[in-house]
């Protein structure tokens, strides 16, 4: 069980780092908001995170 938790944590951190390299720090904040919203079962927070990701991904500079 602890090995699965460690492996999952490594995968999540690697994915977040990849997203941050591709889209910047705002995308990492958006992913964090989505994760917090899902964990707290708050659609408002998850929606805010999705909105941040959407705006970051569709920005003219991307």
């Amino acid at each position: 069980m602890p090995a699965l938790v460690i492996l999952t944590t490594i995968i999540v951190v690697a994915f977040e780092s990849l997203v941050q390299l591709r889209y910047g720090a705002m995308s990492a904040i958006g992913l964090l908001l989505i994760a917090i919203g899902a964990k707290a079962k708050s659609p408002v927070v998850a929606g805010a995170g999705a909105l941040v990701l959407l705006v970051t991904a569709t920005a003219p500079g991307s």
Side-chain angles (χ1 to χ4, degrees):
M1 183 70 173
L4 182 63
V5 172
I6 291 172
L7 182 64
T8 305
T9 304
I10 290 171
I11 291 171
V12 167
V13 169
F15 179 71
E16 186 174 338
S17 297
L18 179 68
V19 168
Q20 188 172 1
L21 281 174
R22 174 73 170 105
Y23 295 110
M26 286 305 291
S27 291
I29 291 170
L31 282 175
L32 180 67
L33 285 172
I34 289 175
I36 290 171
K39 187 78 169 174
K41 296 182 180 171
S42 172
V44 174
V45 176
L51 183 65
V52 169
L53 279 177
L54 178 69
V55 168
T56 305
T58 60
S62 292

